Amino acid sequence: MQAWRVHTPGEPSEAMRLEEVPEPVPGEGEVRLKVLAANVNFPDALLVRGQYQIRPPLPFTPGVEICGETEDGRRVIANPSLPHGGFAEYVTASARALLPAPDTLDDAEAAALHIGYQTGWFGLHRRARLQSGETLLVHAAAGGVGSAAVQLGKAAGATVIGVVGGKAKARTAEELGCDLVIDRTVDDTAGIAARVKEFTGGRGADVVYDPVGGEAYAASAKCVAFEGRIVVVGFASGTVPAPALNHALVKNYAVLGLHWGLYAAKDPAAVLACHTELTRLAAEGAVKPLVTERVPLAGAADAVQRLADGTTSGRLVVVPALDGGGSR
């Protein structure tokens, strides 16, 4: 089969190589899946660069979430067992962790429903306890992780403010339903905070969803509301902020960490319950992964590089069989 492999960490466009390799053999408790679609995630770029908290043995195939087909023909969502990641024709995955792919979503959409939406749901509902009528501020609102949070926020009845980088991404955020869109290429940190305060009548954002870090976090701390909650999801900017805890004390707000992988490890029943809720929301049309591009397997390295460079909106999804032979 064909699979992208990394022999030496580096930039995706240089470190990823498309090779002919044997099909992976399932270990105990695992199943082999045919890859129908593999979503491109920021952790894939970090894995390739050798910067992720998990470092699989070299050589490895990146690709942390897929929609696949079991040997008995079921469509499922899975996290492949590294080092045999999803940018390949076949993967192995834990049999106990397989989730049914929603019938209302195609393969590419189903592949993109998992980690980003699970992260959003746990971050907004389990950690921040977002309530209907509250104001939610989402950084990188036009990206894969941010767009999921925007949709989940709207589904929860929140007023959503989206922060984006550039006019094209601003249009995407508007189409997603953001009630206010702020372009960080126009407004600096102080400007973003001022826009949020003005829009909320001086109150600020009740919940902030931050997958960016750096200056995005600085803006969040300036405009979070009394008893607000900042949910730290990741650091796509490359800068890990150092929060001033005296500021959190004086303004009465909370800084909450969210690592979805811990729920998968420590509370798998909660992950299944979340997937059931996401499937319901997808069936109602309340959420739908923003798949902006479906690329062939041969284009996976370029897709990961573009995501790493921050030039993409929504989700890029690798579909090994774009002619329809293995996907729908």
Side-chain angles (χ1 to χ4, degrees):
M1 71 167 190
Q2 286 193 311
W4 285 93
R5 296 212 294 177
V6 175
H7 294 262
T8 303
E11 286 301 299
S13 60
E14 300 175 355
M16 291 175 62
R17 304 179 192 170
L18 186 58
E19 300 176 346
E20 194 70 29
V21 300
E23 293 182 10
V25 178
E28 185 176 352
E30 294 184 333
V31 295
R32 183 169 58 189
L33 302 172
K34 180 180 180 179
V35 178
L36 302 178
N39 187 37
V40 180
N41 284 276
F42 194 68
D44 293 317
L46 296 179
L47 279 166
V48 175
R49 289 169 167 170
Q51 298 173 345
Y52 200 52
Q53 55 259 39
I54 298 171
R55 298 193 179 185
L58 298 168
F60 72 90
T61 298
V64 296
E65 68 178 338
I66 70 161
C67 174
E69 183 178 68
T70 63
E71 293 183 350
D72 60 2
R74 290 180 296 128
R75 288 173 71 238
V76 296
I77 294 172
N79 300 118
S81 302
L82 297 176
H84 305 295
F87 301 141
E89 293 181 285
Y90 290 89
V91 300
T92 58
S94 169
R96 295 196 314 174
L98 300 181
L99 298 170
D103 292 333
T104 52
L105 302 179
D106 67 23
D107 295 333
E109 293 165 341
L113 182 73
H114 191 36
I115 297 176
Y117 280 86
Q118 288 261 343
T119 299
W121 193 92
F122 276 100
L124 297 180
H125 292 287
R126 182 106 170 212
R127 301 294 284 138
R129 307 293 181 183
L130 178 69
Q131 302 297 309
S132 178
E134 288 191 316
T135 298
L136 168 66
L137 172 63
V138 179
H139 290 284
V145 172
S147 63
V150 169
Q151 292 180 355
L152 289 167
K154 295 298 291 184
T159 297
V160 180
I161 301 171
V163 179
V164 300
K167 291 182 179 179
K169 293 184 178 183
R171 287 193 294 272
T172 298
E174 290 170 356
E175 292 167 359
L176 285 167
C178 286
D179 299 281
L180 172 68
V181 177
I182 302 173
D183 185 349
R184 60 176 173 76
T185 66
V186 176
D187 291 291
D188 60 10
T189 299
I192 292 171
R195 293 282 305 279
V196 173
K197 286 289 190 71
E198 179 184 10
F199 183 75
T200 59
R203 174 176 172 76
D206 299 292
V207 176
V208 179
Y209 191 79
D210 181 13
V212 179
E215 287 301 312
Y217 180 86
S220 303
K222 288 179 178 294
C223 64
V224 65
F226 169 72
E227 293 195 326
R229 293 84 77 197
I230 300 175
V231 184
V232 178
V233 183
F235 314 106
S237 67
T239 301
V240 179
L245 296 185
N246 61 323
H247 190 258
L249 182 153
V250 171
K251 287 191 66 176
N252 269 38
Y253 65 86
V255 180
L256 306 169
L258 189 281
H259 178 203
W260 173 78
L262 283 180
Y263 288 101
K266 295 180 178 295
D267 194 355
V271 172
L272 178 58
C274 176
H275 181 68
T276 300
E277 175 65 8
L278 293 175
T279 300
R280 181 186 70 80
L281 290 172
E284 294 175 355
V287 302
K288 185 182 179 75
L290 178 62
V291 177
T292 53
E293 190 175 347
R294 293 163 170 82
V295 302
L297 184 59
D302 175 68
V304 177
Q305 185 66 62
R306 285 188 283 145
L307 178 68
D309 292 340
T311 61
T312 62
S313 294
R315 288 293 189 183
L316 305 185
V317 181
V318 175
V319 180
L322 281 173
D323 63 356
S327 64
R328 61 171 201 158

